[in-house]
Amino acid sequence: MNKKKLKKSITILLPAGLLPAELLTVVYDLAKRYNLGIYLSTAQNIRLLDVKDENEAAIKKALVDAGAELKGPGKFPLPRICVGSQYCQLGMVNTQAFSNRILERFKDRANVKPKFKIAVSACPASCSNPLTTDIGVRAVRNGFEVYAGGKGGPKPKVGRRIAAGVDEEEVLNIIESLVDFHACKTGKKQRLVKLIDDPEFPFVAV
Ligand code: SF4
């Protein structure tokens, strides 16, 4: 089958799914000027659609000048989060603050292989789908649970619980171990689910 030629798009990374008002204005102006679609992705980012080759560099420059971070190979994945304790009665943690803590710790990581995602929820309802994400973290009454190897797609899989009753610092250390393990065991790209039965996988089910 011949590969379809796809239209170009540019993805703006939005930590904690937040779009600063100033950036919103820039996105609006660019969309009007270059006739772009604006797509809200399931990863809580913004994707500008229908980018013409001749406009790509100018659009990217305007976005970067406005402080936007653009998606690119090797970047550490932004956690997908639920709205958290500030906006939901059931929430037990501030997911924005936790997401920022994760990014602060791992933002300088380079060469992160594709197909590696993180999700955080502030209660067991799991609105950000942590159980079907490579690394899923959810708050429960006695701390956090961490799941590894979940995935969505055509054959969804619930991750394996590898920690329970841990605090934020311990969650960060667990993420670090998983990221290191993923990096050393992965050539180009790999879902964590393919690695959790490796004899050297650093955690057991709890
Ligand atoms: S996971 Fe819990 S805290 Fe987060 S939005 Fe859903 S119900 Fe609210």
Side-chain angles (χ1 to χ4, degrees):
M1 193 174 80
N2 285 340
K3 248 189 159 183
K4 269 196 302 181
K5 179 157 172 31
L6 301 178
K7 293 182 173 184
K8 268 196 179 161
S9 63
I10 296 170
T11 298
I12 305 167
L13 300 176
L14 301 176
L18 295 173
L19 175 59
E22 302 76 21
L23 186 54
L24 176 61
T25 311
V26 173
V27 167
Y28 173 80
D29 288 343
L30 289 170
K32 294 283 277 184
R33 189 179 328 153
Y34 296 109
N35 205 19
L36 307 175
I38 303 175
Y39 174 77
L40 305 178
S41 77
T42 53
Q44 302 180 331
N45 295 315
I46 276 191
R47 198 161 163 177
L48 298 178
L49 309 177
D50 304 328
V51 176
K52 292 200 170 77
D53 286 340
E54 61 270 28
N55 300 330
E56 184 178 358
I59 295 169
K60 284 184 173 172
K61 181 174 184 319
L63 290 168
V64 170
D65 287 351
E69 189 185 348
L70 305 183
K71 187 176 178 183
K75 290 193 173 175
F76 191 82
L78 302 184
R80 182 180 62 241
I81 64 169
C82 79
V83 287
S85 57
Q86 298 147 288
Y87 309 100
C88 179
Q89 292 289 353
L90 298 176
M92 291 180 267
V93 296
N94 180 332
T95 46
Q96 285 178 21
F98 195 16
S99 174
N100 290 342
R101 236 189 124 184
I102 293 172
L103 292 174
E104 191 52 41
R105 171 102 162 233
F106 299 105
K107 69 177 179 341
D108 294 331
R109 286 254 175 177
N111 302 318
V112 178
K113 312 291 189 317
K115 301 289 176 195
F116 181 79
K117 294 176 182 156
I118 298 176
V120 179
S121 280
C123 89
S126 302
C127 294
S128 58
N129 299 328
L131 270 58
T132 48
T133 301
D134 298 272
I135 298 177
V137 180
R138 68 175 180 181
V140 291
R141 293 221 173 276
N142 64 339
F144 290 95
E145 293 177 335
V146 182
Y147 291 78
K151 74 179 199 67
K155 292 185 183 165
K157 199 164 170 32
V158 170
R160 180 182 296 168
R161 195 173 74 166
I162 58 167
V166 291
D167 64 20
E168 260 188 42
E169 190 59 33
E170 289 170 299
V171 172
L172 292 173
N173 292 337
I174 291 167
I175 292 174
E176 182 152 41
S177 297
L178 291 171
V179 173
D180 287 344
F181 180 76
H182 184 263
C184 80
K185 291 281 181 179
T186 303
K188 284 186 175 166
K189 59 180 181 180
Q190 190 63 276
R191 299 308 301 251
L192 201 54
V193 65
K194 296 271 180 70
L195 303 173
I196 58 174
D197 290 323
D198 186 291
E200 291 174 15
F201 188 73
F203 299 98
V204 294
V206 294

